[in-house]
Amino acid sequence: MKSTDLSLPYKAAHLPLQARLFVGMLQKLSVGSLTFIDPKGQVAHFGQLGAQPHAELQVRDWRAAGVILRQGDIGFAESYKLGWVDSNDLLAVFTLALRNEDAMERALHGHWWALLAKRIAHLLLRDNNRRGSRRNISAHYDLGNGFYQLWLDPSMSYSAGIFLPEHAGDLEAAQWAKYDRILDQLDAQPGQTVLEVGCGWGGFAERAAQRGLKVHGITLSKEQLAYAQARIARAGLDGLVTLSLTDYRDVAGQFDHIVSIEMIEAVGERWWPSYFAMLARLRKPGGKVVIQAIDIADARFEAYRSGTDFIQQYIFPGGMLPSPERFVQQAQRVGLRVHSEFEFGLDYAETLRQWRLRFEAQLDAVRAEGFDEAFIRLWRMYYLYCEAGFRERRTGVRQWTLG
């Protein structure tokens, strides 16, 4: 359906070529509706008028049209960062785009040739070898503990919580519930040893030690390590917890159980065999492994792995999501059997929503930490882009129990 406001289609013939192509793409919307505002303030309506989901998108500079058509979500991020595009509800924009994927193909994925350099850089310059892993992790997690304390809950957990009905939306309670479920899956007994691969700010290590477990946590983030060590000391758990700045490939010994919470996303596809081999090598016979992992739908994996997206370019350099099928294949290859899987993607959507609200409430403090408006806009998009992905089931999160 074309615009109900005939002025924009009528004048589209006088727009730059890329602008005409962009408007033509919007005219193909078949699900939901879009209110579109062009740089001159003209308003057009695309899709089925009044249909849900409804979004509003404003283009302030037509240069955004070409960037988005060439580079997809990366181009949208660049345009949003520069203020060339805006919306009063980015979540609705991303939801509308995902539900109209065929019509919005170029806006979502761009042209392969325009993204080739970014894809090569992602594969080569952000490879997760030992040096690359330290660099990639530092780029995201060493932004400063003060920054993360502004919007994470008091548990300082930077992964999906599990919202039980009795939590009534309490994010901190959901984070402790996540740790408790992992510990219950391990069926670990007091005095047993647990290796945590990617210990973050020490939340799981603290919870596990409170149950009498001996935890060795590793990280590549100096900021996280300093915070986690101080946290464990304050809790009086030094005798049960050791934390170190160690690459997962360099861990020696064996442990009764192994836990890794949303760390596999930073491993990189090339290094998945090394990661799973590490799990098999360090797990004592009869022990269990619990991995919490964000994943991409099996049907979308090949397209995803052949390109690069906004998250990999701007938020998590070197990042790569497995699909459930690939995860199982890697586990089975080293002799690990899947005992159970628990999917809770909608809980991640809620986790992200609450992180974003906390972030937005602390913008003055974020600026005081030294972050500019471009950073704020990119992180706002990060929260909303990911939330839309989880709500629309393009991405999921699972706890895998292996043995």
Side-chain angles (χ1 to χ4, degrees), residues 57-281:
L57 178 67
Q58 181 175 10
V59 173
R60 295 197 176 106
D61 190 316
W62 277 124
R63 285 178 290 180
V67 175
I68 294 170
L69 290 175
R70 288 192 302 273
Q71 300 188 38
D73 61 349
I74 296 174
F76 188 94
E78 293 178 356
S79 299
Y80 183 70
K81 178 182 70 172
L82 294 169
W84 293 354
V85 297
D86 210 346
S87 174
N88 60 5
D89 189 349
L90 270 184
L91 181 63
V93 170
F94 296 142
T95 301
L96 187 69
L98 289 173
R99 293 190 187 180
N100 288 272
E101 186 168 14
D102 290 341
M104 304 289 286
E105 173 70 20
R106 287 180 64 182
L108 286 168
H109 306 299
H111 269 310
W112 70 267
W113 50 264
L115 292 169
L116 183 59
K118 293 183 184 295
R119 174 62 178 164
I120 292 172
H122 174 68
L123 291 174
L124 299 181
L125 302 181
R126 294 174 175 175
D127 180 54
N128 288 294
N129 54 32
R130 284 173 174 78
R131 177 179 296 179
S133 289
R134 290 193 297 271
R135 182 178 61 247
N136 291 336
I137 292 298
S138 179
H140 186 85
Y141 293 97
D142 287 340
L143 292 173
N145 292 330
F147 167 69
Y148 286 100
Q149 286 176 281
L150 291 175
W151 53 272
L152 291 178
D153 69 274
S155 75
M156 287 296 285
S157 178
Y158 190 23
S159 52
I162 297 176
F163 289 87
L164 301 176
E166 59 267 28
H167 292 161
D170 185 329
L171 178 57
E172 183 179 4
Q175 299 293 9
W176 294 125
K178 165 188 60 193
Y179 295 143
D180 288 339
R181 187 184 188 281
I182 291 172
L183 290 165
D184 291 343
Q185 287 294 299
L186 293 177
D187 192 25
Q189 303 304 309
Q192 288 188 322
T193 57
V194 178
L195 170 67
E196 185 184 9
V197 183
C199 64
W201 287 279
F204 173 79
E206 179 180 23
R207 195 69 159 188
Q210 289 171 345
R211 290 200 186 189
L213 302 177
K214 298 177 181 178
V215 182
H216 178 56
I218 62 170
T219 181
L220 291 179
S221 167
K222 294 179 180 178
E223 289 276 328
Q224 286 185 330
L225 178 64
Y227 183 98
Q229 287 176 329
R231 172 189 197 149
I232 294 301
R234 285 196 306 271
L237 297 170
D238 308 67
L240 290 173
V241 178
T242 59
L243 304 169
S244 65
L245 203 67
T246 305
D247 190 287
Y248 70 89
R249 287 161 285 214
D250 298 327
V251 179
Q254 284 196 315
F255 301 83
D256 292 308
H257 307 286
I258 303 175
V259 169
S260 189
I261 303 172
E262 292 182 28
M263 182 272 183
I264 191 175
E265 302 86 349
V267 169
E269 184 177 5
R270 175 187 173 191
W271 300 99
W272 287 346
S274 298
Y275 175 84
F276 280 90
M278 172 273 300
L279 298 175
R281 173 172 55 85

Side-chain angles (χ1 to χ4, degrees), residues 159-163 262 292-295 341-353 383 385-399:
S159 52
I162 297 176
F163 289 87
E262 292 182 28
Q292 181 165 312
I294 303 172
D295 57 53
E341 64 174 284
F342 171 67
E343 202 282 333
F344 55 112
L346 291 180
D347 292 63
Y348 217 146
E350 176 60 17
T351 300
L352 284 154
R353 187 188 73 84
Y383 297 124
Y385 178 95
C386 292
E387 182 181 345
F390 284 108
R391 291 199 186 281
E392 294 301 305
R393 303 291 192 177
R394 301 307 177 94
T395 49
V397 63
R398 285 172 170 79
Q399 285 183 0

